[in-house]
Amino acid sequence: MLYLAEVQKQRGGLLGGGSKTELKLLACQRSDQNWSTVSEEVIAAEEAGKLNDGALVLVELSPNRQVQRIQEAGRPLVNILQNFSRQLEKFKLKEDEIDQWKQSLTFQAQELNRREMDMEARLEQLQELEEDSQRLEEKKQEAETSRAAIERLQTEIERNRQELEGAWEHLRGEQRRLEEFKADCQQGTVLDEEQSRAISELLNRLSSGVAPTETVRENLHFAFELVERQQATLNPHWQQLEEKRNLAAQQQEEVERLSQTLRDRQNLCQQAQIFLEQQLAQFHLNTATLASKQEYARILKDKLQNQEALYQQIHSLAATSSDAVFSQQVDVEPLQKMPLEELQKMVQDLQNKLSIDSSFVHDQEQELNYKQEIIEELQRKVKQASGKALQNLEGELADEQDLYQMVNQSLVGQRRNLLEREKILKQHQAVLRQRQGHSIDNEEGDTKLDLGPILLQIEAQRQQQSQELQRLEYEINQMRGGIELDEGMIGNQTHDLEEKRQELKMMEENLLNLRTATAECFGRVNLYQEALQPIQDGLDALRLKLQAVAESLAQVQESGDYQLQTITQMRQTLQTLIN
């Protein structure tokens, strides 16, 4: 089974004479993409002796907890993190896609609701149109009924007019006869009683033959009232037609205004799209530049880590080996010029300080061993405990392990510093013995390896590359900040552009709906006018006919009055003749 482990090196003595290498298991691979933490278990692994303390490795263990294969975990961890990042990106893309689907479904639901409301409104309008058509049909039938009544009245008036003309002819005949009778009377002719009675009967018959016009006048007045009533019924419809025509004209103006606004918004949206594409191109360029700089920074970091490891290895080699020296650790020239008593005092001080530091390190190592014994004791208790006692022991064990790690890490640097001071003390002692006249083994000094120039060169390269890395990291931070700002701006611009597109889509739909409503409104206006105009034309024609009938009736009335007046005169004349 494959585990992720940390290399731990335990040095046996003060000067690091003996050491053992262990692996602390951190995580276990359950499947290709599934890792889980394990209880901190430490196993011996001398195969990892070449690795640095604290290095992360992938170790494959057999069922009996034996190490089968060890490899550095740097590249596999990078691959695992990359796979994890890709999974996160895919998950994020899926979430974005789900959000887009949710927004799309919400928008479609809103659109369906809006269309349903439009259909209901149009259905109500159609119902109103059907009701208006039905009312207009009723008005048309009433108008037809009125027209039939007026035609009957006109026929009766025509019949009365014909009777009146016959009466006029008869009256003119009687008038001629009366003239003849007057002429005869002037010639001395007298009427007898029988002739007088016959003439009186004729005058009475002629008087009763005058057609009465009151009934015709009442019917004509009723016909005028029907026409005016029909006109009063049609006037609100004409007013409503005019209002609908004005509304249609206003809607047409709104369509033209909205069309111009839509064209302006489309131009602005196109300009925003072009600007966003330019921003995206620059953003991709900056991202690629940042990626290249980050890759170069990673290479520099790897080189610095390698140089640091090399520096520490050479430094540890020089500190632990008797065949290596640091020519640059102690400046010999000031020591040669220093008074001997002062040099002796300096050597004594260094010895005292080294003794104090050695005692402190020794105490720390004893404390570390004591902590290790406590941890082992707590581990044995944990295996035997249960319940709440187990929880308390586990918490105490975790605290002791943290203290152990802290003391152990501090001892690593203290041991290294102790070895360096021991080397420095030896160099001071060598200068002191030389100045005191003691002989120094030249051959031994000649065979020692001077690692000072190498360390100085490594340190110089580290300083140069560290400065370059700092400069590069500063540029990366600046670029990252700029890219984050650009990303935020691009996100805002994309969101604004999407809102503008949605707004344009809504405006286009509103414009289409408004155009449809305007066309329907104009259609209703034309239909309404086509339905009202024939009725209005019929009423106007009927009114003209009624006016003509009224004029004819006035003439008939005038003729009847004149006829009665003439008959009265004839009666008076006949009465004179009879007397």
Side-chain angles (χ1 to χ4, degrees):
M1 186 174 290
L2 190 61
Y3 289 87
L4 176 65
E6 179 183 0
V7 177
Q8 292 183 346
K9 292 185 177 181
Q10 303 293 337
R11 290 183 174 85
L14 177 63
L15 301 179
S19 64
K20 63 176 182 178
T21 304
E22 296 178 342
L23 296 177
K24 183 173 71 174
L25 302 182
L26 302 177
C28 177
Q29 184 182 21
R30 303 299 182 186
S31 61
D32 292 339
Q33 303 295 333
N34 187 8
W35 289 78
S36 62
T37 58
V38 296
S39 60
E40 294 185 358
E41 180 182 356
V42 179
I43 60 173
E46 297 299 331
E47 296 86 347
K50 297 180 180 180
L51 300 175
N52 295 328
D53 186 19
L56 294 178
V57 295
L58 291 176
V59 57
E60 187 173 351
L61 299 180
S62 62
N64 57 357
R65 316 301 286 175
Q66 295 295 323
V67 177
Q68 293 180 344
R69 184 171 59 88
I70 295 178
Q71 63 174 348
E72 293 185 359
R75 179 56 61 185
L77 282 178
V78 172
N79 294 332
I80 291 172
L81 292 176
Q82 288 178 350
N83 292 331
F84 181 70
S85 299
R86 285 193 291 268
Q87 293 294 330
L88 285 179
E89 291 177 358
K90 291 180 180 179
F91 182 71
K92 186 176 180 181
L93 291 175
K94 291 294 183 182
E95 285 185 344
D96 294 339
E97 186 176 355
I98 291 172
D99 292 337
Q100 291 177 0
W101 276 105
K102 287 181 179 178
Q103 293 177 1
S104 177
L105 291 175
T106 303
F107 179 75
Q108 291 178 5
Q110 293 176 355
E111 183 67 18
L112 288 176
N113 292 331
R114 188 183 61 80
R115 291 182 181 273
E116 185 177 358
M117 293 175 65
D118 291 342
M119 292 295 294
E120 292 178 356
R122 292 182 181 179
L123 182 61
E124 292 178 357
Q125 291 177 358
L126 289 176
Q127 292 177 355
E128 291 178 358
L129 286 175
E130 290 179 357
E131 293 176 358
D132 293 340
S133 299
Q134 187 176 0
R135 287 195 296 270
L136 289 175
E137 187 65 26
E138 293 176 356
K139 298 299 181 183
K140 187 176 181 181
Q141 291 178 0
E142 291 179 0
E144 293 294 334
T145 303
S146 301
R147 183 181 299 174
I150 292 172
E151 288 178 354
R152 288 194 302 270
L153 182 61
Q154 188 176 5
T155 302
E156 185 178 355
I157 292 172
E158 183 66 24
R159 186 177 65 253
N160 291 331
R161 187 179 62 80
Q162 291 177 359
E163 291 178 357
L164 184 61
E165 289 180 353
W168 271 106
E169 291 293 333
H170 184 71
L171 180 60
R172 282 192 289 269
E174 293 297 330
Q175 190 174 6
R176 285 194 300 270
R177 291 174 61 187
L178 180 60
E179 293 293 334
E180 292 175 358
F181 178 74
K182 285 183 178 181
D184 292 339
C185 288
Q186 290 176 359
Q187 292 175 3
T189 305
V190 295
L191 294 175
D192 54 12
E193 183 179 356
E194 184 178 357
Q195 288 177 343
S196 298
R197 187 171 55 254
I199 291 172
S200 296
E201 291 178 357
L202 289 174
L203 288 175
N204 292 330
R205 189 184 303 171
L206 184 61
S207 174
S208 62
V210 176
T213 60
E214 293 299 329
T215 304
V216 176
R217 189 178 300 278
E218 290 178 358
N219 291 330
L220 183 62
H221 182 68
F222 179 71
F224 270 113
E225 288 181 354
L226 289 177
V227 170
E228 293 301 327
R229 195 180 303 165
Q230 293 292 330
Q231 186 64 47
T233 304
L234 286 179
N235 286 334
H237 292 284
W238 281 110
Q239 185 177 0
Q240 187 176 3
L241 175 63
E242 188 64 24
E243 292 176 355
K244 290 184 177 181
R245 184 181 287 111
N246 295 332
L247 178 61
Q250 293 176 0
Q251 289 182 353
Q252 184 64 33
E253 293 178 356
E254 182 66 19
V255 166
E256 294 176 356
R257 185 189 65 79
L258 191 59
S259 299
Q260 183 63 36
T261 304
L262 179 61
R263 288 192 292 270
D264 297 338
R265 295 287 180 85
Q266 287 175 345
N267 293 330
L268 292 175
C269 185
Q270 186 176 5
Q271 294 176 2
Q273 177 69 29
I274 295 173
F275 181 72
L276 179 60
E277 291 176 354
Q278 295 175 355
Q279 292 290 104
L280 283 173
Q282 185 65 33
F283 175 76
H284 292 317
L285 178 61
N286 293 336
T287 304
T289 304
L290 177 62
S292 63
K293 287 182 179 293
Q294 288 176 340
E295 181 65 20
Y296 182 51
R298 186 188 63 79
I299 294 173
L300 283 179
K301 288 180 180 179
D302 293 340
K303 291 176 67 177
L304 283 173
Q305 290 177 358
N306 295 331
Q307 289 179 355
E308 177 67 23
L310 179 61
Y311 183 85
Q312 293 296 334
Q313 289 177 0
I314 295 175
H315 201 279
S316 299
L317 177 63
T320 57
S321 176
S322 60
D323 295 332
V325 296
F326 291 146
S327 59
Q328 287 80 12
Q329 272 190 329
V330 177
D331 192 359
V332 180
E333 185 176 357
L335 297 178
Q336 295 289 348
K337 297 178 181 180
M338 184 183 298
L340 186 60
E341 293 78 5
E342 187 177 348
L343 180 59
Q344 289 177 349
K345 186 177 182 302
M346 182 181 293
V347 171
Q348 186 64 35
D349 292 339
L350 289 175
Q351 287 178 346
N352 295 332
K353 186 172 180 58
L354 181 61
S355 177
I356 294 172
D357 292 341
S358 299
S359 177
F360 178 74
V361 171
H362 180 69
D363 294 339
Q364 291 292 320
E365 287 180 348
Q366 289 183 349
E367 178 69 19
L368 191 64
N369 294 329
Y370 176 70
K371 292 291 183 184
Q372 181 66 32
E373 293 176 357
I374 294 176
I375 289 173
E376 293 175 356
E377 181 66 24
L378 288 174
Q379 288 176 349
R380 286 193 299 269
K381 291 181 179 180
V382 166
K383 292 180 180 180
Q384 299 174 358
S386 61
K388 187 174 182 180
L390 177 61
Q391 295 180 356
N392 295 330
L393 288 174
E394 287 178 348
E396 187 177 354
L397 177 60
D399 295 337
E400 292 295 335
Q401 287 176 345
D402 292 338
L403 290 174
Y404 179 84
Q405 292 295 332
M406 181 178 64
V407 174
N408 188 24
Q409 291 177 1
S410 64
L411 272 177
V412 174
Q414 292 174 5
R415 289 166 181 163
R416 185 170 59 249
N417 293 333
L418 189 62
L419 293 174
E420 291 177 357
R421 290 172 182 172
E422 186 177 357
K423 285 286 188 180
I424 294 172
L425 176 60
K426 288 181 179 180
Q427 291 182 3
H428 281 76
Q429 288 176 346
V431 175
L432 179 59
R433 286 195 300 270
Q434 182 182 6
R435 292 187 62 182
Q436 288 176 347
H438 299 288
S439 60
I440 299 175
D441 191 358
N442 293 330
E443 293 181 359
E444 184 180 357
D446 293 337
T447 58
K448 290 184 179 180
L449 178 63
D450 187 6
L451 299 179
I454 298 176
L455 293 177
L456 287 178
Q457 185 177 1
I458 294 175
E459 184 65 24
Q461 291 179 358
R462 284 175 56 196
Q463 291 293 333
Q464 181 181 0
Q465 291 178 359
S466 178
Q467 291 177 0
E468 186 175 0
L469 179 61
Q470 290 178 358
R471 179 188 59 81
L472 190 60
E473 288 179 346
Y474 176 76
E475 293 179 357
I476 288 174
N477 291 329
Q478 294 292 327
M479 290 190 66
R480 186 180 289 113
I483 287 175
E484 289 177 356
L485 291 176
D486 294 339
E487 186 176 6
M489 292 177 60
I490 290 173
N492 293 332
Q493 291 176 3
T494 305
H495 184 265
D496 294 340
L497 184 60
E498 186 64 26
E499 287 184 350
K500 289 181 180 179
R501 288 176 178 171
Q502 294 294 333
E503 185 179 358
L504 285 177
K505 188 175 181 181
M506 294 297 296
M507 289 182 64
E508 289 176 354
E509 293 179 355
N510 293 334
L511 180 60
L512 179 60
N513 295 331
L514 186 58
R515 285 177 176 172
T516 303
T518 304
E520 291 177 354
C521 189
F522 275 113
R524 288 195 297 270
V525 168
N526 295 330
L527 179 63
Y528 214 23
Q529 186 171 4
E530 289 176 359
L532 287 177
Q533 193 63 46
I535 299 175
Q536 184 65 47
D537 294 339
L539 283 178
D540 293 339
L542 187 59
R543 186 181 289 106
L544 292 176
K545 289 182 180 180
L546 288 176
Q547 290 176 357
V549 169
E551 292 176 356
S552 300
L553 183 60
Q555 294 176 0
V556 169
Q557 182 68 33
E558 184 179 359
S559 299
D561 294 340
Y562 181 71
Q563 181 180 359
L564 291 175
Q565 184 179 2
T566 303
I567 291 172
T568 302
Q569 293 177 357
M570 290 177 64
R571 285 180 184 278
Q572 293 176 358
T573 304
L574 181 62
Q575 187 67 31
T576 303
L577 291 176
I578 293 173
N579 292 331

